[in-house]
């Protein structure tokens, strides 16, 4: 027999039907406020990190955007105006590499991917305001990226300098520190090399303290993300100490967090990239060996340099320690990194593990200068002595006997008085290197002129459009350099011959302000209207992956602060609340093509429908944790959809019946409203509401054939539809209509009646050593630890317990607590 309409939900037909309605009427489009309008707390901005269109959507995207969608629907139905836009982080290596490999223009490849993603998003039925869609690679967008770059340049927040850079030999491009993960290129996994180039930077270090201090305002950010940002900024208090080259006088400043160990410095070490090295060794017998060493280490990755056995080479020169006038040998050592501190260290092998390893290897002196309080200097002068909390200075001249904190202060003050050092603060954070020698990025809008230097492209000549070229393959210089007609341009300042900058920007620049553009996406006269941006922002709920904790999230905060200082924005933090979701695994590994464990969203939708996928992706487990995909799991939510389908059609066929004021099923429905609302809105939990809906559907099925409870069944069924709507908007809408309702997506979110939520009261027997001593009246389902607390709080129990504390407690929920004294 042909299955009928009443047997199974038909996702193809019904999901397409409602998607067409929402598209035709722009159901989720929100207009911008009238000038002068105040948000009055009823407008909100829900944002998920925008996709990088490298291919099609994967399950991680489906998770991210479904979570944002559920939250958006609930907020809308609570009466909020919700801004929920979408766009594409469209520049970047993926399309460019595809163009090199397969031919074609990166733009066409990008746009093809965007089309595929857009189609998938629409197929998922997400409530997106499509009128604000942006692609960061369109001139309408990158014109303003360039405009913003120039504002940073005017303020001295973007600048150019020669710098050793991290270089990916495979991608033939420079990488930011943040894009080097364990010494490898974040994008392709190739081991990173070092190279020296003139590069553009953003002065994010100027905002180091503000990025730290203003974290106070980010209460609802995950502590893990805040910790990662704090560590990345890496603020530490210490001293700048100026050593000098013996017999030369050049200053060699170092930063140390332990100036109290200055008497223990027995050698000095420079990073291989240190600019003074060739000068120090010029014309000496050491020149050749040092130059060889420097060349050799340049090819080593940072991680190799930091983890392998330390090595180095002696320069033949000495540095004078300002505190005792001692001349100590200057080495070049590759465990010293140019990008940290000053690229030079005073080595204290007695109390620093890495210095100790190096000293042991090369037979350098090891001197103890701190010892645990009450103890004395170790008998073995060459031993490494770890720091302790209470240590005191030894072998430290006039400072001997001081505690370490006293010693720190005293030695720093001594250096300061003599002009050879000062208290200072060090940071791990480096300036943001934004130059890329690649084609598919936003051109940096400056012109180089021999007479005038760097000249910004005037605002009215923006955008500087990407030139059309034939060969995207980087050959150590930017592919843009081959567009000679494009490069040659008149200097805007003197009219002489100028050359366009050929570097493009790191794509993280594009994504550092897209959330601002969304608010005023179609503005062709400005990057945004401040009044509109101030109306919508800061983003009230941002959702994305933890992998962006120190990249995108740090840059976006920096941009927002700088733009606020330029009076272009009325706020200093872009995202008030942040939620970072876990990853989706299958067969124990992250889904990836190479592992062959990918489930494509298209396949899942085709087989089960968007609603079943939307339900399953959030039902898998707590949103913040990593989760394992199971095919049986999605079959379960598909069955739930079918059960709801059959139930509602059966109820619809019976026609109107008035809902009773009370009854066990009515109470269950109110408890479910309470649970679902509380989980989503207060706890930001999305899997437990689905479990609650499974239960309510089961309870309704149990009594649905009892004619005396038809009213209760109808109320429970309507409640199921109303609560499942954010998760499964298509089936919910269809059934709501069949039950005689209209536009569930705009229907007020249900509110539980508190008198009906209250569960039954049960009596708990409280025993001490197995003897009944008290009885407590508590709500059914009271948690174990709460029952224990109530039992121990009972006066009669306390009387029997006396002074002794309970050895253990035994709890039978809803029945008994036994305290064993
Ligand atoms: Zn790479
Ligand atoms: Zn000029």
């Amino acid at each position: 027999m042909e299955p009928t309409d009443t047997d199974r939900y038909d996702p193809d037909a019904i999901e397409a039907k409602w998607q067409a309605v929402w598209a035709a009427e722009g159901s989720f489009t929100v207009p911008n406020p009238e000038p002068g309008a105040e948000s009055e707390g009823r407008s909100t901005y829900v944002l998920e990190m925008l996709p990088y269109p490298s291919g099609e959507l994967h399950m991680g995207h489906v998770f991210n955007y479904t979570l944002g969608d559920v939250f958006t629907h609930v907020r809308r139905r609570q009466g909020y105006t919700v801004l929920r836009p979408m766009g594409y982080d469209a520049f970047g290596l993926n399309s460019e590499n595809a163009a090199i490999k397969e031919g074609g223009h990166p733009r066409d490849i990008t746009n093809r991917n965007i089309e595929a993603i857009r189609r998938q998003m629409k197929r998922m039925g997400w409530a997106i305001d499509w009128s604000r869609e942006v692609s960061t690679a369109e001139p309408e967008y990158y014109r303003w990226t360039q405009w913003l770059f120039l504002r940073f340049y005017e303020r001295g927040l973007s600048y150019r300098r020669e710098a050793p850079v991290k270089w990916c030999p495979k991608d033939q491009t420079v990488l930011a520190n943040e894009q080097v993960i364990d010494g490898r290129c974040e994008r392709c996994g190739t081991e990173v090399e070092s190279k020296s180039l003139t590069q553009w930077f953003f002065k994010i270090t100027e905002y180091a303290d503000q990025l730290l201090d203003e974290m106070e305002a980010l209460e609802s950010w995950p502590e893990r993300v805040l910790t990662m940002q704090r560590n990345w900024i890496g603020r530490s208090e210490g001293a700048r100490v100026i050593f000098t080259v013996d017999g030369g006088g050049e200053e060699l400043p170092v930063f140390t967090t332990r100036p109290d160990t200055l008497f223990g410095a027995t050698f000095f070490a420079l990073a291989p990239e240190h600019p003074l090295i060739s000068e120090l060794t010029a014309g000496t017998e050491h020149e050749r060996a040092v130059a060889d060493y420097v060349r050799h280490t340049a090819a080593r990755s940072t991680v190799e340099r930091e983890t392998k056995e330390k090595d180095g080479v002696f320069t033949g020169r000495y540095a004078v320690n300002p505190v005792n006038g001692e001349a100590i040998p200057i080495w070049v050592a590759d465990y010293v990194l140019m990008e940290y501190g000053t690229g030079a260290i005073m080595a204290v092998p007695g109390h620093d593990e890495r210095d100790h390893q190096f000293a042991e290897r090369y037979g350098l002196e090891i001197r103890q200068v701190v010892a645990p309080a009450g103890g004395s200097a170790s008998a073995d002068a060459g031993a490494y002595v770890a720091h302790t909390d209470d240590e005191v200075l030894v072998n430290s001249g006039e400072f001997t006997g001081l505690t370490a904190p006293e010693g720190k202060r005293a030695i720093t003050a001594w250096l300061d008085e003599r002009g050879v050092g000062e208290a200072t603060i060090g940071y791990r954070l480096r300036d943001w290197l934004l130059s890329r020698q690649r084609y598919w990025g936003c051109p940096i809008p400056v012109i180089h002129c021999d007479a005038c230097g760097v000249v910004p492209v005037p605002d009215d000549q923006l955008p500087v459009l990407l030139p059309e070229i034939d060969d995207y393959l980087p050959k150590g210089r930017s592919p843009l350099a081959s567009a000679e007609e494009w490069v040659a341009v008149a200097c805007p300042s003197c009219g002489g011959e100028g050359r366009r900058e050929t570097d493009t920007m790191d794509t993280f620049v594009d994504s550092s302000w897209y959330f601002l553009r969304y608010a005023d996406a179609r503005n062709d006269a400005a990057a945004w209207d401040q009044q509109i941006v101030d109306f919508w922002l800061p983003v009230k709920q941002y959702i994305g992956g933890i992998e962006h904790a120190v990249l995108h999230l740090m840059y976006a905060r920096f941009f927002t602060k700088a733009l606020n200082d330029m009076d272009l924005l009325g706020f200093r933090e872009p995202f008030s609340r942040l939620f970072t979701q876990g990853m989706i695994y299958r067969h124990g590994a992250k889904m990836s093509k190479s592992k062959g464990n990918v489930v494509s969203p298209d396949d899942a939708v085709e087989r089960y429908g968007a609603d079943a996928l939307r339900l399953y992706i959030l039902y898998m487990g707590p949103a913040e944790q990593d989760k394992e995909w199971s095919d049986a799991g999605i079959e379960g939510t598909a069955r739930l959809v079918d059960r709801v389908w059959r139930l509602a059609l059966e109820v619809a066929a019976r026609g109107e019946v008035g809902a009773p004021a009370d009854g066990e099923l009515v109470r269950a429905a109110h408890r479910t409203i309470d649970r679902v609302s509380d989980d989503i809105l207060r706890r930001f939990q999305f899997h437990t509401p689905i479990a609650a809906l499974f239960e309510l559907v089961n309870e309704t099925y149990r009594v649905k054939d009892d004619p005396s409870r038809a009213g209760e069944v109808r109320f429970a069924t309507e409640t199921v539809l109303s609560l499942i709507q954010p998760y499964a908007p298509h089936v919910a809408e269809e059934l709501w209509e069949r039950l005689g309702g209209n536009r569930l997506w705009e229907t007020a979110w249900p509110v539980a009646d508190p008198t009906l939520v209250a569960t039954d009261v049960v009596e708990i027997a409280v025993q001490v050593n197995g003897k009944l001593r008290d009885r407590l009246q508590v709500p059914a389902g009271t948690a174990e630890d709460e029952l224990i607390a109530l039992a121990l709080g009972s006066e009669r129990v306390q009387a029997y317990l006396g002074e002794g504390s309970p050895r253990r407690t035994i709890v039978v929920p809803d029945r008994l607590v036994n305290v064993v004294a």
Side-chain angles (χ1 to χ4, degrees):
M1 214 169 72
E2 280 282 296
T4 61
D5 182 44
T6 49
D7 288 330
R8 290 198 69 178
Y9 167 63
D10 174 5
D12 284 346
I14 290 162
E15 294 180 355
K17 169 186 164 184
W18 290 106
Q19 286 159 17
V21 170
W22 298 326
E25 67 165 54
S27 305
F28 307 112
T29 301
V30 296
N32 271 337
E34 296 298 321
E38 296 282 330
S39 155
E40 288 165 353
R42 298 311 288 176
S43 302
T44 189
Y45 188 172
V46 177
L47 181 66
E48 301 102 312
M49 291 179 187
L50 84 179
Y52 179 64
S54 58
E56 300 198 329
L57 291 187
H58 53 68
M59 285 299 177
H61 292 119
V62 171
F63 183 86
N64 191 190
Y65 301 133
T66 304
L67 196 151
D69 207 56
V70 170
F71 192 68
T72 296
H73 274 300
V74 174
R75 279 294 190 218
R76 283 174 48 87
R77 290 179 56 199
Q78 285 187 310
Y80 287 84
T81 305
V82 184
L83 177 62
R84 207 280 187 110
M86 189 55 71
Y88 314 94
D89 192 8
F91 276 134
L93 285 178
N94 203 284
S95 297
E96 188 170 330
N97 288 341
I100 291 166
K101 223 163 114 189
E102 296 146 29
H105 196 291
R107 181 185 302 118
D108 299 331
I109 293 164
T110 303
N111 287 341
R112 213 161 53 224
N113 289 339
I114 287 176
E115 267 168 46
I117 288 177
R118 186 190 295 121
R119 179 190 55 75
Q120 288 181 298
M121 288 184 163
K122 294 196 169 173
R123 184 61 190 86
M124 290 302 298
W126 290 322
I128 289 165
D129 180 350
W130 289 104
S131 75
R132 297 168 186 267
E133 188 184 27
V134 301
S135 157
T136 60
E138 291 297 331
E140 295 77 42
Y141 184 90
Y142 74 70
R143 170 186 180 183
W144 301 112
T145 306
Q146 293 174 339
W147 185 86
L148 289 168
F149 173 88
L150 293 175
R151 302 291 81 76
F152 279 72
Y153 181 72
E154 281 166 4
R155 295 226 153 202
L157 289 173
S158 51
Y159 68 95
R160 205 166 168 255
R161 71 170 154 87
E162 171 111 358
V165 293
K166 301 282 195 305
W167 178 262
C168 171
K170 174 143 186 281
D171 293 324
Q172 287 278 304
T173 192
V174 165
L175 301 170
N177 276 310
E178 289 82 348
Q179 288 165 313
V180 180
I181 309 296
D182 295 335
R184 292 177 180 275
C185 168
E186 183 208 32
R187 288 252 190 265
C188 73
T190 304
E191 206 160 290
V192 167
E193 295 175 356
S194 174
K195 193 169 171 160
S196 188
L197 280 177
T198 303
Q199 304 283 302
W200 284 95
F201 290 86
F202 278 126
K203 214 184 229 174
I204 190 171
T205 52
E206 190 154 300
Y207 282 82
D209 277 326
Q210 293 170 43
L211 286 164
L212 270 179
D213 297 344
E214 292 170 16
M215 268 184 210
E216 301 290 318
L218 304 177
E219 282 167 39
S220 55
W221 278 40
E223 193 48 47
R224 191 170 153 214
V225 174
L226 296 177
T227 302
M228 284 166 85
Q229 292 214 351
R230 244 177 244 119
N231 292 343
W232 196 263
I233 296 167
R235 182 184 191 277
S236 55
E237 291 182 10
R240 190 177 129 92
V241 183
I242 302 172
F243 284 66
T244 47
V245 178
D246 194 23
E250 298 95 338
E251 293 192 343
L252 289 172
V254 297
F255 172 76
T256 173
T257 57
R258 296 302 307 263
D260 49 315
T261 63
L262 195 47
F263 283 84
T266 55
F267 68 100
F268 196 90
L270 300 171
E273 298 86 2
H274 199 283
L276 264 185
I277 290 174
S278 49
E279 194 182 313
L280 287 178
T281 55
T284 71
E285 56 177 307
H286 296 275
E287 184 171 18
R288 183 78 180 273
V290 170
D292 283 349
Y293 178 78
V294 167
R295 216 175 13 259
H296 175 62
T297 54
R300 287 185 192 157
S301 71
T302 305
V303 66
E304 192 187 348
R305 286 170 56 172
E306 284 182 315
T307 53
K308 66 160 189 55
E309 197 186 356
K310 319 285 169 253
D311 65 20
V313 62
F314 179 44
T315 62
R317 303 295 298 272
Y318 292 81
V320 178
N321 185 341
V323 80
N324 56 8
E326 217 175 315
I328 56 177
I330 302 175
W331 285 67
V332 179
D334 73 347
Y335 74 97
V336 183
L337 299 179
M338 196 63 215
E339 57 265 39
Y340 297 138
T342 59
I345 61 162
M346 60 173 223
V348 182
H351 308 287
D352 180 281
E353 255 183 294
R354 300 193 312 169
D355 298 347
H356 190 263
Q357 285 171 23
F358 192 88
E360 290 245 282
R361 175 161 184 180
Y362 293 103
L364 299 164
E365 186 192 345
I366 298 168
R367 188 187 296 161
Q368 187 180 0
V369 290
V370 288
S376 58
S378 153
D380 176 2
Y384 167 75
V385 180
H387 290 295
T388 61
D389 287 340
D390 61 348
E391 61 197 0
V392 295
L393 274 59
V394 296
N395 297 329
S396 294
E398 63 185 273
F399 305 100
T400 297
L402 296 180
T403 65
E406 288 166 356
K408 234 181 213 186
R409 275 193 299 274
I411 291 179
T412 306
W414 188 96
L415 294 167
D416 200 356
E417 275 166 34
R418 287 156 185 80
V420 288
E422 62 191 334
T424 187
I425 291 160
Y427 297 90
R428 186 171 174 268
L429 184 70
R430 302 287 100 193
D431 277 342
W432 170 10
L433 196 164
L434 70 108
S435 286
R436 295 292 179 275
Q437 289 72 44
R438 295 300 300 238
Y439 174 77
W440 191 231
C442 176
I444 295 174
V446 304
I447 291 163
H448 300 280
C449 168
D450 287 340
C452 314
V454 171
V455 183
V457 173
D459 287 354
D460 62 7
Q461 290 173 27
L462 299 179
V464 175
L465 292 172
L466 269 175
E468 298 304 319
I469 61 169
D470 301 325
D471 185 4
Y472 306 109
L473 199 64
K475 300 174 183 82
R477 62 169 195 174
S478 170
L480 268 60
S482 68
E484 285 162 18
E485 278 179 37
W486 177 86
V487 171
V489 65
C491 166
S493 174
C494 70
E497 274 178 32
R499 297 172 319 281
R500 286 195 189 279
E501 170 66 61
T502 57
D503 284 355
T504 52
M505 297 186 206
D506 177 7
T507 56
F508 277 111
V509 183
D510 309 327
S511 56
S512 291
W513 74 281
Y514 77 102
F515 45 91
L516 303 169
R517 183 65 180 173
Y518 279 155
D520 198 12
R522 300 280 89 89
N523 193 334
D524 57 11
W528 58 78
D529 176 308
Q530 191 186 338
Q531 202 179 15
I532 292 171
V533 162
D534 285 352
F535 177 89
W536 290 116
L537 281 101
V539 172
K540 304 295 186 304
Q541 181 65 59
Y542 199 27
I543 305 162
I546 187 84
E547 66 274 19
H548 293 295
V550 288
L551 294 145
H552 162 62
L553 288 169
M554 185 83 88
Y555 295 153
R557 294 184 63 219
F558 160 60
F559 256 55
T560 303
K561 290 177 199 312
L563 295 169
N564 174 264
D565 286 341
M566 295 175 205
D567 293 324
L568 293 168
L569 300 175
F571 48 93
R572 294 188 64 74
E573 286 288 346
F575 315 120
S576 316
R577 301 176 63 89
L578 170 70
F579 183 82
T580 50
Q581 89 247 13
M583 285 200 291
I584 312 273
Y585 288 84
R586 185 160 178 247
H587 309 321
K590 199 185 160 190
M591 283 192 192
S592 80
K593 279 197 191 121
S594 60
K595 293 202 183 74
N597 63 348
V598 173
V599 181
S600 109
D602 283 358
D603 291 348
V605 169
E606 198 181 320
R607 191 141 173 223
Y608 303 103
D611 281 348
L613 174 57
R614 293 170 56 116
L615 279 162
Y616 177 59
I617 202 89
L618 294 178
Y619 186 53
M620 289 170 78
E624 69 280 8
Q625 292 176 13
D626 295 340
K627 293 160 285 281
E628 171 78 20
W629 174 277
S630 112
D631 294 334
I634 189 166
E635 279 159 21
T637 56
R639 267 198 305 278
L640 174 68
V641 170
D642 283 336
R643 268 166 80 74
V644 172
W645 179 256
R646 287 192 297 270
L647 173 68
L649 289 192
E650 199 178 323
V651 169
R654 291 176 195 167
E656 253 339 305
V657 273
D662 202 346
E664 203 33 62
L665 191 57
V666 170
R667 284 174 171 265
H670 276 276
R671 279 198 303 274
T672 310
I673 294 170
D674 186 57
R675 249 178 93 181
V676 171
S677 307
D678 192 62
D679 283 352
I680 295 175
L681 295 164
R682 200 175 57 78
R683 287 145 41 91
F684 216 67
Q685 287 230 346
F686 294 83
H687 66 303
T688 45
I690 303 171
L693 285 165
F694 266 107
E695 280 173 36
L696 182 58
V697 169
N698 287 343
E699 284 177 59
T700 312
Y701 261 88
R702 266 200 292 279
V703 300
K704 78 176 170 52
D705 296 326
D706 179 348
S708 71
R709 302 186 68 178
E712 278 187 82
V713 167
R714 183 170 178 111
F715 177 73
T717 304
E718 286 173 352
T719 301
V720 166
L721 296 180
S722 185
L723 295 176
I724 210 170
Q725 183 273 342
Y727 292 91
H730 312 88
V731 68
E733 201 59 50
E734 179 69 22
L735 293 170
W736 190 254
E737 192 183 64
R738 295 201 189 193
L739 279 166
N742 191 16
R743 302 171 77 82
L744 180 54
W745 75 87
E746 289 178 345
T747 300
W749 184 249
V751 179
D753 179 340
T755 61
L756 294 175
V757 169
T759 38
D760 302 331
V761 170
V762 292
E763 190 176 83
I764 303 284
V766 182
Q767 302 174 337
V768 176
N769 296 332
K771 292 205 174 72
L772 182 69
R773 298 304 183 192
D774 202 358
R775 293 174 196 279
L776 297 169
Q777 310 284 320
V778 301
T782 299
E784 283 194 24
D785 48 355
E786 212 167 307
L787 287 177
I788 293 170
L790 286 169
L792 295 177
S794 149
E795 279 179 25
R796 299 180 56 187
V797 169
Q798 283 174 355
Y800 283 100
L801 268 179
E803 295 297 295
S805 59
R807 277 223 331 268
R808 61 195 180 98
T809 48
I810 298 153
V811 179
V812 182
D814 289 348
R815 306 229 348 241
L816 164 143
V817 180
N818 182 16
V819 181
V820 182

